[in-house]
Amino acid sequence: MTVGRRKVLLIGLCVFVVSLLIRLIGIGWGLPNDLHEQSYHPDEPVIFGYSQRVEPAKGKFTPGFYNYGTLYLTLLRVSTDVASAYGAGPKDSSAKETWMAIGRFDLVGRVLSALAGAATVWIVFLILLPRAGMLGSLFGAAALSFAPGHVVHSRFQTVDVLATFFLVVSLYFALRLLPSGDDPLPDDRLYLRLAVLSGVFAGLSAGTKYTGIFALVALLVVVVLDRRTARWKALGLGVLAAVVVFFLATPGALLDSHAFLRDFRYEMTHTQTGHGAVFAGTPSGFIFNVWNLFVAMGMVMVVGGIAGLVRATLKRHAWAVALLAFSLAYYILIGRAEVKFMRYVFPLLPALAVGFGWLVSRAHIHPKAMVKAPLMFVCILGLGGLFGGGLAMTVRVTQWMVEPDPRDETALEIRNASSDSTSVGLATDPWFYTPPFYPQTAAGPWIESEPGSFERRYSWMQAATRPKVLRYVPADPRDRVDFDVRLLTEDKPDYVVLSSFEIGDYNRMKKLPSPPKGFEPQLGRAEEFMDTLRTEYDLVKVRGQQAAVPPSVFSGTVLPHDLAYIRPEVTVWKRKTDSQSPSNGSSTTSGSTGAPAATR
């Protein structure tokens, strides 16, 4: 090994280690503690639960859940089995200790995501190195390493970051089919091997999250742009490898085909029909996802990445044509969807980071100082956080994930100010966004599949003291609705607590010229509830998101739905002293009817 290769390996290792350390800080956010038994991430209990249906030792790889591929569930089950063997399992049979053990297992899954996120940065570095030199490679890697959206989701036990890692590895092998730098053109045998590897990792990505199959677009473009006789054989082998590996990663597609088709169709329908009130009345996905990209990475890096890919394509660099074609195809896919989570743009971030790194490398060698200096200056400031994103926002969201959570702070503050008769009212079914007034508050709609779930949640709420927790429910619990004004006029709790996840979308829709079709009743109830709340209660505390959004181009906007998980805004309202005394109305907790839809 030459000294140059040793240096490259050392720098690449540093890139990986630094990116991993960034992602490990705050990785314990929202896990079960003395206040709440479930994770504050709404999907983690669901994902963990289904992962335990995979039993590798028994040869069972069909969890009966196929909204995603099965690979992440399998890796999570294997990892948690190993962790359990080393003492991470429950220490006793109590419910609290069981949930604490699940929290430790959640942490194992989060570490898998952190490793995948850091490795994705490293692959971006490798893609850029022969095309943009060391400087461009480091800038491109830093663009993804400091991307706040990617950093935050690398601390979650979810599928998105791992799926993106496999996808970018597939792109890496597809681009290796092309000549780059001083590397010789691969011979036919290596050419076919690289195409197969590209297909293998596309299959692994699809086996983690179905959209990963779009990595094959880059392989197709590379093959079409080539002229060697083995190109069509290479494409065929790559596609075949992707299909075979997908079925190996998600064997339920064959062995449990009825459930697979049911969940696959649901997922496709879900993305096309919307996600309750969350994205109702928002702009087209083609526009909305631009904002998602700006928040996830930063405006300078996104604009620079697009400019770099377009410029390199105009310069007829085949690698840029392939990455741009993949990016456009994938963007059209998510742009047409009605569900617009920020995490859906993650497969675009590595491609944009490559474009950004290449643009920096061209700017650095530009002969005109009047062009070189300003462009380099803006790129450096962009990495630092100019116009949002970058290191500054990553530091801020990391700070949010290591400091006390506003939900925990709210629960403790009200508890400390409560007597045995103090009550707090909830306008919707409690879930991850609700302060933990009792340990099971975050047990959300996913528990509704269990027999007697409403009774269980009712008993948990009934057991809550200091404060008592009220949620207005009529005689038939199936008739309950969000923002039932009778909570305020009949139950009259001492406090009412609202989260931005409950009221934020209604506040947004209220400002539209006309409400989205089908949401008029909910908007009417929310408006009546809030009018009564302002009349009978004083706003005494605001914690969380809105009070802490850093100054940037995004000031005055809320965070994307799946970034706000880490810091929702919580408002506390106290009943006015001149209001009538509380009644003895009976309120209960509830199940999932009327609650926000489960995340996907």
Side-chain angles (χ1 to χ4, degrees), residues 563-594:
L563 187 58
Y565 292 160
I566 65 174
R567 195 177 180 88
E569 179 181 278
V570 179
T571 55
V572 179
W573 301 75
K574 186 176 182 180
R575 193 164 185 84
K576 295 179 179 179
T577 55
D578 58 349
S579 295
Q580 298 179 23
S581 60
S583 73
N584 294 319
S586 61
S587 291
T588 68
T589 185
S590 60
S592 63
T593 303

PDB file of all heavy atoms in Angstrom, residues 563-594:
ATOM      1  N   LEU A 563     -39.109  16.125  12.318  1.00  0.00           N
ATOM      2  CA  LEU A 563     -37.985  16.723  13.040  1.00  0.00           C
ATOM      3  C   LEU A 563     -38.476  17.313  14.355  1.00  0.00           C
ATOM      4  O   LEU A 563     -37.739  17.374  15.342  1.00  0.00           O
ATOM      5  CB  LEU A 563     -37.316  17.809  12.190  1.00  0.00           C
ATOM      6  CG  LEU A 563     -36.014  18.407  12.744  1.00  0.00           C
ATOM      7  CD1 LEU A 563     -34.963  17.327  12.968  1.00  0.00           C
ATOM      8  CD2 LEU A 563     -35.474  19.485  11.819  1.00  0.00           C
ATOM      9  N   ALA A 564     -39.762  17.707  14.378  1.00  0.00           N
ATOM     10  CA  ALA A 564     -40.345  18.275  15.593  1.00  0.00           C
ATOM     11  C   ALA A 564     -40.563  17.227  16.682  1.00  0.00           C
ATOM     12  O   ALA A 564     -40.867  17.587  17.819  1.00  0.00           O
ATOM     13  CB  ALA A 564     -41.671  18.960  15.264  1.00  0.00           C
ATOM     14  N   TYR A 565     -40.404  15.925  16.349  1.00  0.00           N
ATOM     15  CA  TYR A 565     -40.509  14.902  17.383  1.00  0.00           C
ATOM     16  C   TYR A 565     -39.640  15.241  18.590  1.00  0.00           C
ATOM     17  O   TYR A 565     -40.013  14.990  19.728  1.00  0.00           O
ATOM     18  CB  TYR A 565     -40.041  13.541  16.858  1.00  0.00           C
ATOM     19  CG  TYR A 565     -40.911  12.898  15.813  1.00  0.00           C
ATOM     20  CD1 TYR A 565     -40.391  11.911  14.979  1.00  0.00           C
ATOM     21  CD2 TYR A 565     -42.252  13.249  15.651  1.00  0.00           C
ATOM     22  CE1 TYR A 565     -41.169  11.290  14.009  1.00  0.00           C
ATOM     23  CE2 TYR A 565     -43.030  12.641  14.687  1.00  0.00           C
ATOM     24  CZ  TYR A 565     -42.481  11.662  13.861  1.00  0.00           C
ATOM     25  OH  TYR A 565     -43.246  11.060  12.910  1.00  0.00           O
ATOM     26  N   ILE A 566     -38.463  15.787  18.318  1.00  0.00           N
ATOM     27  CA  ILE A 566     -37.496  15.974  19.398  1.00  0.00           C
ATOM     28  C   ILE A 566     -37.814  17.193  20.254  1.00  0.00           C
ATOM     29  O   ILE A 566     -37.264  17.333  21.353  1.00  0.00           O
ATOM     30  CB  ILE A 566     -36.056  16.096  18.850  1.00  0.00           C
ATOM     31  CG1 ILE A 566     -35.905  17.352  17.990  1.00  0.00           C
ATOM     32  CG2 ILE A 566     -35.681  14.849  18.069  1.00  0.00           C
ATOM     33  CD1 ILE A 566     -34.480  17.610  17.529  1.00  0.00           C
ATOM     34  N   ARG A 567     -38.671  18.077  19.773  1.00  0.00           N
ATOM     35  CA  ARG A 567     -38.970  19.271  20.563  1.00  0.00           C
ATOM     36  C   ARG A 567     -40.295  19.898  20.147  1.00  0.00           C
ATOM     37  O   ARG A 567     -40.335  20.948  19.503  1.00  0.00           O
ATOM     38  CB  ARG A 567     -37.847  20.301  20.430  1.00  0.00           C
ATOM     39  CG  ARG A 567     -37.932  21.395  21.510  1.00  0.00           C
ATOM     40  CD  ARG A 567     -36.748  22.346  21.388  1.00  0.00           C
ATOM     41  NE  ARG A 567     -36.799  23.390  22.376  1.00  0.00           N
ATOM     42  CZ  ARG A 567     -36.293  23.308  23.602  1.00  0.00           C
ATOM     43  NH1 ARG A 567     -35.695  22.195  23.971  1.00  0.00           N
ATOM     44  NH2 ARG A 567     -36.360  24.313  24.441  1.00  0.00           N
ATOM     45  N   PRO A 568     -41.407  19.284  20.503  1.00  0.00           N
ATOM     46  CA  PRO A 568     -42.701  19.921  20.214  1.00  0.00           C
ATOM     47  C   PRO A 568     -42.908  21.123  21.125  1.00  0.00           C
ATOM     48  O   PRO A 568     -42.333  21.206  22.212  1.00  0.00           O
ATOM     49  CB  PRO A 568     -43.713  18.818  20.531  1.00  0.00           C
ATOM     50  CG  PRO A 568     -43.029  17.978  21.556  1.00  0.00           C
ATOM     51  CD  PRO A 568     -41.566  18.004  21.200  1.00  0.00           C
ATOM     52  N   GLU A 569     -43.718  22.047  20.668  1.00  0.00           N
ATOM     53  CA  GLU A 569     -44.098  23.156  21.532  1.00  0.00           C
ATOM     54  C   GLU A 569     -45.228  22.694  22.447  1.00  0.00           C
ATOM     55  O   GLU A 569     -46.206  22.091  21.992  1.00  0.00           O
ATOM     56  CB  GLU A 569     -44.569  24.342  20.702  1.00  0.00           C
ATOM     57  CG  GLU A 569     -45.002  25.532  21.538  1.00  0.00           C
ATOM     58  CD  GLU A 569     -45.492  26.681  20.672  1.00  0.00           C
ATOM     59  OE1 GLU A 569     -44.639  27.433  20.180  1.00  0.00           O
ATOM     60  OE2 GLU A 569     -46.714  26.801  20.472  1.00  0.00           O
ATOM     61  N   VAL A 570     -45.091  22.938  23.739  1.00  0.00           N
ATOM     62  CA  VAL A 570     -46.110  22.571  24.722  1.00  0.00           C
ATOM     63  C   VAL A 570     -46.606  23.848  25.391  1.00  0.00           C
ATOM     64  O   VAL A 570     -45.805  24.621  25.921  1.00  0.00           O
ATOM     65  CB  VAL A 570     -45.544  21.604  25.776  1.00  0.00           C
ATOM     66  CG1 VAL A 570     -46.618  21.249  26.805  1.00  0.00           C
ATOM     67  CG2 VAL A 570     -45.013  20.333  25.114  1.00  0.00           C
ATOM     68  N   THR A 571     -47.915  24.071  25.355  1.00  0.00           N
ATOM     69  CA  THR A 571     -48.502  25.242  26.005  1.00  0.00           C
ATOM     70  C   THR A 571     -49.342  24.798  27.193  1.00  0.00           C
ATOM     71  O   THR A 571     -50.053  23.792  27.125  1.00  0.00           O
ATOM     72  CB  THR A 571     -49.376  26.055  25.026  1.00  0.00           C
ATOM     73  OG1 THR A 571     -50.368  25.198  24.460  1.00  0.00           O
ATOM     74  CG2 THR A 571     -48.528  26.636  23.914  1.00  0.00           C
ATOM     75  N   VAL A 572     -49.250  25.571  28.273  1.00  0.00           N
ATOM     76  CA  VAL A 572     -49.995  25.280  29.503  1.00  0.00           C
ATOM     77  C   VAL A 572     -50.959  26.430  29.768  1.00  0.00           C
ATOM     78  O   VAL A 572     -50.555  27.596  29.793  1.00  0.00           O
ATOM     79  CB  VAL A 572     -49.046  25.099  30.705  1.00  0.00           C
ATOM     80  CG1 VAL A 572     -49.842  24.819  31.978  1.00  0.00           C
ATOM     81  CG2 VAL A 572     -48.046  23.980  30.433  1.00  0.00           C
ATOM     82  N   TRP A 573     -52.236  26.083  29.953  1.00  0.00           N
ATOM     83  CA  TRP A 573     -53.282  27.054  30.219  1.00  0.00           C
ATOM     84  C   TRP A 573     -53.845  26.793  31.616  1.00  0.00           C
ATOM     85  O   TRP A 573     -54.132  25.655  31.972  1.00  0.00           O
ATOM     86  CB  TRP A 573     -54.407  26.923  29.192  1.00  0.00           C
ATOM     87  CG  TRP A 573     -53.958  27.131  27.775  1.00  0.00           C
ATOM     88  CD1 TRP A 573     -53.243  26.260  27.012  1.00  0.00           C
ATOM     89  CD2 TRP A 573     -54.187  28.274  26.958  1.00  0.00           C
ATOM     90  NE1 TRP A 573     -53.007  26.778  25.764  1.00  0.00           N
ATOM     91  CE2 TRP A 573     -53.582  28.029  25.701  1.00  0.00           C
ATOM     92  CE3 TRP A 573     -54.858  29.481  27.151  1.00  0.00           C
ATOM     93  CZ2 TRP A 573     -53.618  28.936  24.652  1.00  0.00           C
ATOM     94  CZ3 TRP A 573     -54.899  30.396  26.101  1.00  0.00           C
ATOM     95  CH2 TRP A 573     -54.293  30.131  24.885  1.00  0.00           C
ATOM     96  N   LYS A 574     -54.021  27.862  32.388  1.00  0.00           N
ATOM     97  CA  LYS A 574     -54.541  27.741  33.757  1.00  0.00           C
ATOM     98  C   LYS A 574     -55.896  28.420  33.850  1.00  0.00           C
ATOM     99  O   LYS A 574     -56.086  29.534  33.349  1.00  0.00           O
ATOM    100  CB  LYS A 574     -53.564  28.368  34.755  1.00  0.00           C
ATOM    101  CG  LYS A 574     -53.953  28.162  36.209  1.00  0.00           C
ATOM    102  CD  LYS A 574     -52.893  28.712  37.153  1.00  0.00           C
ATOM    103  CE  LYS A 574     -53.277  28.465  38.601  1.00  0.00           C
ATOM    104  NZ  LYS A 574     -52.246  29.000  39.533  1.00  0.00           N
ATOM    105  N   ARG A 575     -56.809  27.740  34.526  1.00  0.00           N
ATOM    106  CA  ARG A 575     -58.167  28.274  34.644  1.00  0.00           C
ATOM    107  C   ARG A 575     -58.155  29.591  35.412  1.00  0.00           C
ATOM    108  O   ARG A 575     -57.490  29.742  36.441  1.00  0.00           O
ATOM    109  CB  ARG A 575     -59.078  27.270  35.346  1.00  0.00           C
ATOM    110  CG  ARG A 575     -60.551  27.615  35.230  1.00  0.00           C
ATOM    111  CD  ARG A 575     -61.428  26.421  35.574  1.00  0.00           C
ATOM    112  NE  ARG A 575     -62.830  26.735  35.332  1.00  0.00           N
ATOM    113  CZ  ARG A 575     -63.449  26.653  34.153  1.00  0.00           C
ATOM    114  NH1 ARG A 575     -62.758  26.246  33.103  1.00  0.00           N
ATOM    115  NH2 ARG A 575     -64.715  26.956  34.033  1.00  0.00           N
ATOM    116  N   LYS A 576     -58.891  30.563  34.889  1.00  0.00           N
ATOM    117  CA  LYS A 576     -58.938  31.877  35.518  1.00  0.00           C
ATOM    118  C   LYS A 576     -59.617  31.792  36.881  1.00  0.00           C
ATOM    119  O   LYS A 576     -60.545  31.004  37.087  1.00  0.00           O
ATOM    120  CB  LYS A 576     -59.671  32.871  34.619  1.00  0.00           C
ATOM    121  CG  LYS A 576     -58.938  33.143  33.304  1.00  0.00           C
ATOM    122  CD  LYS A 576     -59.693  34.104  32.423  1.00  0.00           C
ATOM    123  CE  LYS A 576     -58.929  34.376  31.119  1.00  0.00           C
ATOM    124  NZ  LYS A 576     -59.660  35.306  30.223  1.00  0.00           N
ATOM    125  N   THR A 577     -59.176  32.622  37.796  1.00  0.00           N
ATOM    126  CA  THR A 577     -59.687  32.565  39.163  1.00  0.00           C
ATOM    127  C   THR A 577     -61.157  32.953  39.256  1.00  0.00           C
ATOM    128  O   THR A 577     -61.852  32.566  40.183  1.00  0.00           O
ATOM    129  CB  THR A 577     -58.867  33.479  40.078  1.00  0.00           C
ATOM    130  OG1 THR A 577     -58.868  34.807  39.529  1.00  0.00           O
ATOM    131  CG2 THR A 577     -57.436  32.977  40.191  1.00  0.00           C
ATOM    132  N   ASP A 578     -61.648  33.744  38.293  1.00  0.00           N
ATOM    133  CA  ASP A 578     -63.046  34.162  38.357  1.00  0.00           C
ATOM    134  C   ASP A 578     -63.977  33.228  37.592  1.00  0.00           C
ATOM    135  O   ASP A 578     -65.171  33.504  37.467  1.00  0.00           O
ATOM    136  CB  ASP A 578     -63.206  35.584  37.817  1.00  0.00           C
ATOM    137  CG  ASP A 578     -62.711  35.715  36.380  1.00  0.00           C
ATOM    138  OD1 ASP A 578     -62.068  34.760  35.892  1.00  0.00           O
ATOM    139  OD2 ASP A 578     -62.962  36.766  35.759  1.00  0.00           O
ATOM    140  N   SER A 579     -63.417  32.104  37.076  1.00  0.00           N
ATOM    141  CA  SER A 579     -64.269  31.132  36.395  1.00  0.00           C
ATOM    142  C   SER A 579     -65.020  30.302  37.417  1.00  0.00           C
ATOM    143  O   SER A 579     -64.652  30.226  38.590  1.00  0.00           O
ATOM    144  CB  SER A 579     -63.410  30.211  35.517  1.00  0.00           C
ATOM    145  OG  SER A 579     -62.808  30.952  34.482  1.00  0.00           O
ATOM    146  N   GLN A 580     -66.076  29.614  36.964  1.00  0.00           N
ATOM    147  CA  GLN A 580     -66.850  28.769  37.865  1.00  0.00           C
ATOM    148  C   GLN A 580     -65.992  27.621  38.352  1.00  0.00           C
ATOM    149  O   GLN A 580     -65.059  27.193  37.693  1.00  0.00           O
ATOM    150  CB  GLN A 580     -68.079  28.209  37.138  1.00  0.00           C
ATOM    151  CG  GLN A 580     -69.042  29.288  36.654  1.00  0.00           C
ATOM    152  CD  GLN A 580     -70.217  28.672  35.924  1.00  0.00           C
ATOM    153  OE1 GLN A 580     -70.533  27.513  36.131  1.00  0.00           O
ATOM    154  NE2 GLN A 580     -70.857  29.469  35.081  1.00  0.00           N
ATOM    155  N   SER A 581     -66.311  27.108  39.525  1.00  0.00           N
ATOM    156  CA  SER A 581     -65.532  26.016  40.094  1.00  0.00           C
ATOM    157  C   SER A 581     -65.682  24.769  39.243  1.00  0.00           C
ATOM    158  O   SER A 581     -66.694  24.574  38.571  1.00  0.00           O
ATOM    159  CB  SER A 581     -66.000  25.718  41.516  1.00  0.00           C
ATOM    160  OG  SER A 581     -67.371  25.357  41.501  1.00  0.00           O
ATOM    161  N   PRO A 582     -64.694  23.896  39.256  1.00  0.00           N
ATOM    162  CA  PRO A 582     -64.753  22.688  38.438  1.00  0.00           C
ATOM    163  C   PRO A 582     -65.954  21.825  38.788  1.00  0.00           C
ATOM    164  O   PRO A 582     -66.399  21.766  39.928  1.00  0.00           O
ATOM    165  CB  PRO A 582     -63.444  21.965  38.781  1.00  0.00           C
ATOM    166  CG  PRO A 582     -62.544  23.051  39.277  1.00  0.00           C
ATOM    167  CD  PRO A 582     -63.434  24.036  39.972  1.00  0.00           C
ATOM    168  N   SER A 583     -66.468  21.158  37.765  1.00  0.00           N
ATOM    169  CA  SER A 583     -67.596  20.255  37.984  1.00  0.00           C
ATOM    170  C   SER A 583     -67.072  18.882  38.343  1.00  0.00           C
ATOM    171  O   SER A 583     -65.882  18.635  38.378  1.00  0.00           O
ATOM    172  CB  SER A 583     -68.448  20.173  36.721  1.00  0.00           C
ATOM    173  OG  SER A 583     -67.776  19.410  35.738  1.00  0.00           O
ATOM    174  N   ASN A 584     -67.995  17.959  38.574  1.00  0.00           N
ATOM    175  CA  ASN A 584     -67.617  16.588  38.892  1.00  0.00           C
ATOM    176  C   ASN A 584     -67.844  15.664  37.701  1.00  0.00           C
ATOM    177  O   ASN A 584     -68.045  14.474  37.862  1.00  0.00           O
ATOM    178  CB  ASN A 584     -68.438  16.074  40.092  1.00  0.00           C
ATOM    179  CG  ASN A 584     -68.092  16.827  41.358  1.00  0.00           C
ATOM    180  OD1 ASN A 584     -66.924  17.106  41.597  1.00  0.00           O
ATOM    181  ND2 ASN A 584     -69.101  17.150  42.154  1.00  0.00           N
ATOM    182  N   GLY A 585     -67.820  16.258  36.505  1.00  0.00           N
ATOM    183  CA  GLY A 585     -68.022  15.446  35.316  1.00  0.00           C
ATOM    184  C   GLY A 585     -66.983  14.353  35.215  1.00  0.00           C
ATOM    185  O   GLY A 585     -65.861  14.516  35.630  1.00  0.00           O
ATOM    186  N   SER A 586     -67.371  13.223  34.646  1.00  0.00           N
ATOM    187  CA  SER A 586     -66.435  12.101  34.521  1.00  0.00           C
ATOM    188  C   SER A 586     -65.837  12.089  33.142  1.00  0.00           C
ATOM    189  O   SER A 586     -66.538  12.039  32.156  1.00  0.00           O
ATOM    190  CB  SER A 586     -67.173  10.778  34.783  1.00  0.00           C
ATOM    191  OG  SER A 586     -68.196  10.609  33.840  1.00  0.00           O
ATOM    192  N   SER A 587     -64.527  12.181  33.086  1.00  0.00           N
ATOM    193  CA  SER A 587     -63.813  12.090  31.823  1.00  0.00           C
ATOM    194  C   SER A 587     -62.877  10.909  31.882  1.00  0.00           C
ATOM    195  O   SER A 587     -62.414  10.515  32.939  1.00  0.00           O
ATOM    196  CB  SER A 587     -63.013  13.362  31.546  1.00  0.00           C
ATOM    197  OG  SER A 587     -63.871  14.439  31.289  1.00  0.00           O
ATOM    198  N   THR A 588     -62.611  10.360  30.739  1.00  0.00           N
ATOM    199  CA  THR A 588     -61.734   9.200  30.672  1.00  0.00           C
ATOM    200  C   THR A 588     -60.696   9.419  29.600  1.00  0.00           C
ATOM    201  O   THR A 588     -60.778  10.326  28.782  1.00  0.00           O
ATOM    202  CB  THR A 588     -62.533   7.925  30.331  1.00  0.00           C
ATOM    203  OG1 THR A 588     -63.019   8.042  28.991  1.00  0.00           O
ATOM    204  CG2 THR A 588     -63.688   7.721  31.273  1.00  0.00           C
ATOM    205  N   THR A 589     -59.751   8.549  29.583  1.00  0.00           N
ATOM    206  CA  THR A 589     -58.820   8.525  28.456  1.00  0.00           C
ATOM    207  C   THR A 589     -59.503   7.854  27.283  1.00  0.00           C
ATOM    208  O   THR A 589     -60.651   7.450  27.368  1.00  0.00           O
ATOM    209  CB  THR A 589     -57.532   7.784  28.827  1.00  0.00           C
ATOM    210  OG1 THR A 589     -56.622   7.901  27.742  1.00  0.00           O
ATOM    211  CG2 THR A 589     -57.783   6.321  29.094  1.00  0.00           C
ATOM    212  N   SER A 590     -58.777   7.707  26.198  1.00  0.00           N
ATOM    213  CA  SER A 590     -59.395   7.129  25.020  1.00  0.00           C
ATOM    214  C   SER A 590     -58.401   6.356  24.213  1.00  0.00           C
ATOM    215  O   SER A 590     -57.224   6.330  24.470  1.00  0.00           O
ATOM    216  CB  SER A 590     -59.985   8.241  24.154  1.00  0.00           C
ATOM    217  OG  SER A 590     -58.972   9.110  23.766  1.00  0.00           O
ATOM    218  N   GLY A 591     -58.924   5.721  23.147  1.00  0.00           N
ATOM    219  CA  GLY A 591     -58.077   4.981  22.239  1.00  0.00           C
ATOM    220  C   GLY A 591     -57.605   5.850  21.108  1.00  0.00           C
ATOM    221  O   GLY A 591     -57.217   6.971  21.310  1.00  0.00           O
ATOM    222  N   SER A 592     -57.705   5.358  19.881  1.00  0.00           N
ATOM    223  CA  SER A 592     -57.075   6.066  18.773  1.00  0.00           C
ATOM    224  C   SER A 592     -58.032   6.858  17.909  1.00  0.00           C
ATOM    225  O   SER A 592     -57.594   7.630  17.074  1.00  0.00           O
ATOM    226  CB  SER A 592     -56.340   5.044  17.890  1.00  0.00           C
ATOM    227  OG  SER A 592     -57.255   4.141  17.336  1.00  0.00           O
ATOM    228  N   THR A 593     -59.355   6.689  18.054  1.00  0.00           N
ATOM    229  CA  THR A 593     -60.274   7.397  17.184  1.00  0.00           C
ATOM    230  C   THR A 593     -60.089   8.898  17.336  1.00  0.00           C
ATOM    231  O   THR A 593     -60.139   9.438  18.417  1.00  0.00           O
ATOM    232  CB  THR A 593     -61.726   7.029  17.512  1.00  0.00           C
ATOM    233  OG1 THR A 593     -61.867   5.614  17.403  1.00  0.00           O
ATOM    234  CG2 THR A 593     -62.691   7.701  16.573  1.00  0.00           C
ATOM    235  N   GLY A 594     -59.860   9.565  16.217  1.00  0.00           N
ATOM    236  CA  GLY A 594     -59.677  11.004  16.261  1.00  0.00           C
ATOM    237  C   GLY A 594     -58.255  11.425  16.522  1.00  0.00           C
ATOM    238  O   GLY A 594     -57.934  12.594  16.419  1.00  0.00           O
TER     239      GLY A 594
END
